[in-house]
């Protein structure tokens, strides 16, 4: 009976942990990354050195759980990454994810050698373990703290954090192999790196395309799409690892492929993975906390703190500034990217590899990584939002999106049903605007179901359902949140070919002879952009209004308030592309063709 009781206690404690993980998503909105340290602390308290007195030293299980958790986290990050948002920053992100990781390890190694009394190879291993930024920590902090970063900065950080783990893992494994075997040629290292990267990319792209095909062709029962996609991600990861390719790169690319293609039950997949990645992070942090020893940490905390400070204040900034020299980032953006080099569970996970293979001083790598992660999450994690504002890389915050309800229609990939509460200060309620690609289908008012004609005019507090393409559904949010105050356009910006966004199409038709149509004559230019763009308006956005082109020149309150007019006779001749621009365009075309995005 005692054994049965122990099983029951284990189930009870496991359920409590799962419940804590679910509730922690609410706390994360306020506390961010330091919340993850709570679960490290739980693991430490439950360990043999804490009141829990649980003797846990199963490195193999921890490595297995960590691999699965990291694979899911990277897959979820890829699934949320829109290719259009990162294609312009692929080059700097890839440089940071490879050369940046190597430079960070090289700069950290001499300090580790001096303060930890290691040889050069062991010092490089310490540098490699802590060199990569943690995708989970970056995604968590940026999203839960409500940061709206400048698009290029945010996209660079997302792409770098999602792709630098494979290189850090490769570097760590190569150094562990060298320390274990004692020999390795530069040619072997280059060959292994190329093979793992290329093979991982191929498996990821093919696997992602197969998952998209299966999702859209196989009639799975309702509710099984999300578990199917999650399991498929782990299959892709396992196939790549068995083939000695980079499973982490493969699963991240597969996520990008799936996330950028129309698929069934896309929203339920995203929601399911939200919960799965949260639980994966929690379980990984608790197990890593169980492996740690407060007594060992106290013995090495001094040197580890020095390594952490050098990493944050010297190694990472040097790597970032050198890697971004060829790219047009200003000094504020470089400083912020350098400061957002957050370390998380990945560093501790990598430090468990020497323990798994039984290297000398294996626990020293683990303890150093543990201290580095704690300091990084506390110091960098809590100061990320103030740093973004101080360096002017954060855009003004907006209200969180409305409670959007999305329903996939069986057998229909082109349209889905999207529902919103109608707010009294929303763009839809005040201006009656909806994009041209959406169609109202029903309105719920006081528990009555009405057609749009019966509900006209829609009242505040109603709930409206619209048909919209799945890939554009999120763009509807801006029509149902409270309108931000709009400032008047600067009169000095307005000239013969620059007009206020509050002018109507009818006024424009009288002056320039364009055909606006009676139904559009009363629309303002700002309204016209809202209706016809499939995303929130940005500076430089263009719309054709024969025979002229409207160009968004200034944005205020989320709407266009200054519009430029490009007349036919003013069309400039195309500027010849440089070789570098041609090469980048060609690479983008090749990727789009292969990935199908």
């Amino acid at each position: 009976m005692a054994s049965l009781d122990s099983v029951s206690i284990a189930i009870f404690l496991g359920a409590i942990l799962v419940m804590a993980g679910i509730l922690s998503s609410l706390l994360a909105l306020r506390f961010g990354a330091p919340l993850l340290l709570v679960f490290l602390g739980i693991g430490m308290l439950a360990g043999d050195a804490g009141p829990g007195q649980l003797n846990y030293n199963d490195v193999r299980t921890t490595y297995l759980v960590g691999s699965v958790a990291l694979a899911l986290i990277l897959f979820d990050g890829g699934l949320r990454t829109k290719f259009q948002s990162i294609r312009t920053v692929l080059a700097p992100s890839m440089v940071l994810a490879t050369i940046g990781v190597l430079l960070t390890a090289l700069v950290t190694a001499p300090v580790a050698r001096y303060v930890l009394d290691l040889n050069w190879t062991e010092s490089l291993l310490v540098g490699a373990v802590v060199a990569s930024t943690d995708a989970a920590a970056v995604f968590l902090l940026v999203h839960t703290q409500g940061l709206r970063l400048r698009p290029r900065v945010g996209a660079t950080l997302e792409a770098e954090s999602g792709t630098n783990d494979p290189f850090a893992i490769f570097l760590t494994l190569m150094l562990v192999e060298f320390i274990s075997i004692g020999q390795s040629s530069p040619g072997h290292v280059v060959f292994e790196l190329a093979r793992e990267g290329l093979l991982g990319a191929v498996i990821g792209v093919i696997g992602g395309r197969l998952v998209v095909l299966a999702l859209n062709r196989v009639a799975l029962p309702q509710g099984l799409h999300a578990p199917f996609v999650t399991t498929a991600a782990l299959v892709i990861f396992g196939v790549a690892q068995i083939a000695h390719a980079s499973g982490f790169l493969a699963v991240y690319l597969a996520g990008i492929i799936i996330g950028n293609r129309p698929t069934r039950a896309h929203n339920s997949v995203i929601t399911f993975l939200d919960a799965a990645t949260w639980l994966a992070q929690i379980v990984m942090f608790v197990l890593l906390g169980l492996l740690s020893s407060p007594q060992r940490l106290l013995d090495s905390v001094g040197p580890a703190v020095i390594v952490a400070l050098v990493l944050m204040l010297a190694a990472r900034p040097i790597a970032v500034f050198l890697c971004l020299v060829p790219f047009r980032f200003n000094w504020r953006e470089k400083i912020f990217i350098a400061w957002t080099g957050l370390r998380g569970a990945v560093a501790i996970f990598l430090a468990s590899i020497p323990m798994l293979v039984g290297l000398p001083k294996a626990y020293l790598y683990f303890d150093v990584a543990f201290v580095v992660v704690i300091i990084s999450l506390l110091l960098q994690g809590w100061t990320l939002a103030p740093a973004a504002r101080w360096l002017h890389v954060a855009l003004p915050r907006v209200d969180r999106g409305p409670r959007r309800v999305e329903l996939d229609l069986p057998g229909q990939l082109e349209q889905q049903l999207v529902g919103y509460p109608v707010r009294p200060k929303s763009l839809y309620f005040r201006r009656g605007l909806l994009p041209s690609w959406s169609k109202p289908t029903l309105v719920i008012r006081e528990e009555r179901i009405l057609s749009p004609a019966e509900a006209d005019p829609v009242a505040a507090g109603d709930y409206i359902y619209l048909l919209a393409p799945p890939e554009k559904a999120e763009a509807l949010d801006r029509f149902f949140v409270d309108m931000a105050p709009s400032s008047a356009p600067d009169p000095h910006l307005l000239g013969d070919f620059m007009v206020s966004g509050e002018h109507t199409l009818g006024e424009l038709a009288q002056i320039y002879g364009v055909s606006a149509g009676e139904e559009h004559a009363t629309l303002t230019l700002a309204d016209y952009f809202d209706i016809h763009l499939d995303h929130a308006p940005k500076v430089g956005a263009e719309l054709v209004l024969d025979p002229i082109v409207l160009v968004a020149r200034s944005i205020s309150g989320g709407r266009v308030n200054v519009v430029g007019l490009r007349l036919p006779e003013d069309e400039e001749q195309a500027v010849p592309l440089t070789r570098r621009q041609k090469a980048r365009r060609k690479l983008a075309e090749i990727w789009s063709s292969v990935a199908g995005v």
Side-chain angles (χ1 to χ4, degrees):
M1 295 299 293
S3 59
L4 292 178
D5 288 341
S6 64
V7 171
S8 300
I9 292 173
I11 293 173
F12 170 75
L13 293 177
I16 291 293
L17 180 60
V18 170
M19 185 179 295
I22 294 170
L23 296 177
S24 69
S25 62
L26 301 175
L27 297 175
L29 296 176
R30 179 174 179 181
F31 295 106
L35 174 66
L36 297 177
L37 296 179
V38 172
F39 296 100
L40 277 178
I42 290 173
M44 295 176 69
L45 291 173
D48 55 3
Q53 294 295 307
L54 179 60
N55 185 14
Y56 180 84
N57 55 7
D58 192 345
V59 181
R60 185 177 298 276
T61 299
T62 303
Y63 182 80
L64 173 63
V65 172
S67 298
V68 172
L70 185 55
L72 288 178
I73 290 166
L74 288 173
F75 179 73
D76 182 56
L79 203 64
R80 297 171 182 275
T81 300
K82 296 304 178 186
F83 182 70
Q84 293 298 329
S85 67
I86 67 167
R87 64 186 304 172
T88 57
V89 297
L90 276 179
S93 300
M94 293 303 103
V95 172
L96 285 171
T98 52
I99 299 175
V101 169
L102 182 60
L103 288 175
T104 303
L106 291 175
V107 176
T108 306
V111 179
R113 184 176 188 271
Y114 177 75
V115 300
L116 296 171
D117 192 24
L118 303 173
N119 61 39
W120 279 112
T121 307
E122 293 168 338
S123 303
L124 279 172
L125 180 55
V126 172
V129 164
V130 298
S132 70
T133 59
D134 186 78
V138 172
F139 294 153
L140 176 70
L141 269 176
V142 171
H143 294 300
T144 59
Q145 291 193 8
L147 279 177
R148 290 184 65 229
L149 300 176
R150 294 188 181 277
R152 183 172 61 164
V153 175
T156 300
L157 287 171
E158 281 199 7
E160 180 210 0
S161 62
T163 54
N164 65 5
D165 290 339
F167 187 78
I169 293 169
F170 168 80
L171 196 60
T172 301
L173 291 174
M174 286 294 101
L175 288 168
V176 168
E177 179 183 347
F178 182 81
I179 295 173
S180 302
I181 301 176
Q183 59 182 1
S184 183
S185 65
H188 171 70
V189 172
V190 173
F191 172 76
E192 287 294 319
L193 175 61
R195 183 176 62 82
E196 287 196 17
L198 290 175
L199 192 54
V202 169
I203 292 174
V205 170
I206 294 176
R209 296 294 294 271
L210 288 176
V211 172
V212 171
L213 190 66
L215 268 178
N216 294 337
R217 296 288 181 87
V218 179
L220 291 173
Q222 189 72 21
L224 290 184
H225 296 89
F228 170 77
V229 173
T230 305
T231 307
L234 295 178
V235 169
I236 293 170
F237 174 76
V239 168
Q241 292 291 93
I242 292 172
H244 298 288
S246 175
F248 298 103
L249 178 61
V251 80
Y252 181 71
L253 289 177
I256 293 179
I257 300 295
I258 298 168
N260 284 272
R261 298 290 293 171
T263 56
R264 298 186 194 279
H266 176 78
N267 305 305
S268 62
V269 171
I270 292 291
T271 304
F272 182 86
L273 275 168
D274 262 346
T277 53
W278 258 110
L279 294 178
Q281 289 179 78
I282 290 167
V283 172
M284 181 164 57
F285 268 82
V286 170
L287 289 182
L288 292 172
L290 281 170
L291 274 182
S292 68
S293 167
Q295 182 61 46
R296 289 200 327 265
L297 288 175
L298 289 175
D299 294 338
S300 58
V301 67
V305 169
I306 295 175
V307 171
L309 293 177
V310 169
L311 175 69
M312 291 187 293
L313 302 178
R316 169 72 176 177
I318 289 172
V320 168
F321 273 77
L322 289 177
C323 288
L324 296 183
V325 166
F327 309 102
R328 296 179 180 177
F329 287 86
N330 62 46
W331 66 271
R332 294 177 184 273
E333 294 171 333
K334 291 177 183 177
I335 290 177
F336 183 75
I337 292 173
W339 189 243
T340 317
L342 292 157
R343 270 63 192 177
V346 174
I348 309 176
F349 167 73
L350 291 179
S352 69
I353 296 176
M355 296 168 60
L356 184 65
V357 300
L359 286 187
K361 305 178 184 177
Y363 280 99
L364 179 61
Y365 307 129
F366 186 90
D367 295 341
V368 169
F370 203 93
V371 173
V372 167
V373 168
I374 291 175
I375 294 176
S376 175
L377 290 180
L378 285 174
L379 185 58
Q380 294 175 305
W382 264 331
T383 60
L384 189 62
R389 291 191 290 269
W390 180 67
L391 293 168
H392 304 296
V393 297
L395 299 174
R397 292 185 63 171
V398 296
D399 290 338
R400 293 188 180 275
R403 283 189 175 273
R404 178 183 356 117
V405 175
E406 299 176 341
L407 303 174
D408 293 297
L409 303 177
Q412 176 62 258
L413 290 177
E414 288 75 23
Q415 299 289 328
Q416 69 178 180
L417 206 56
V418 187
Y420 292 96
V422 178
R423 295 183 176 182
K425 296 182 180 180
S426 65
L427 183 60
Y428 170 69
F429 182 73
R430 287 192 169 184
R431 308 281 297 184
L433 296 179
L434 282 175
S436 57
W437 38 262
S438 67
K439 181 181 180 181
T441 57
L442 62 91
V443 176
I444 299 177
R445 177 183 298 162
E446 298 177 352
E447 300 183 0
R448 291 183 299 138
I449 300 176
L450 307 173
S451 68
E454 293 171 333
D456 190 38
V458 172
D462 288 353
Y463 214 99
I464 184 169
Y465 280 87
L466 310 97
L467 283 174
E471 68 275 10
K472 296 181 181 179
E474 190 174 345
L476 278 169
D477 289 358
R478 70 182 191 275
F479 293 89
F480 295 93
V481 295
D482 292 344
M483 291 178 63
S486 180
S487 60
D490 185 350
H492 298 290
L493 291 176
L494 304 182
D496 291 337
F497 303 110
M498 205 86 74
V499 300
S500 169
E502 295 307 311
H503 284 304
T504 65
L505 292 182
E507 293 170 340
L508 202 66
Q510 291 178 1
I511 299 173
Y512 293 97
V514 297
S515 176
E518 292 183 6
E519 70 278 10
H520 289 157
T522 58
L523 285 179
T524 66
L525 297 179
D527 294 342
Y528 192 72
F529 272 93
D530 282 328
I531 289 174
H532 291 286
L533 286 179
D534 58 1
H535 53 76
K538 300 177 182 178
V539 173
E542 298 182 357
L543 286 177
V544 176
L545 183 66
D546 288 335
I548 64 175
V549 177
L550 305 179
V551 183
R553 293 298 188 192
S554 176
I555 307 293
S556 175
R559 305 191 74 208
V560 178
N561 72 332
V562 176
V563 178
L565 309 178
R566 187 185 301 155
L567 306 182
E569 58 268 22
D570 292 334
E571 292 285 349
E572 298 179 359
Q573 292 184 346
V575 179
L577 297 177
T578 63
R579 290 184 178 180
R580 182 178 175 183
Q581 290 171 327
K582 290 179 180 178
R584 290 177 64 180
R585 177 174 292 184
K586 188 64 176 177
L587 286 174
E589 291 174 355
I590 292 173
W591 168 255
S592 298
S593 174
V594 172
V597 298

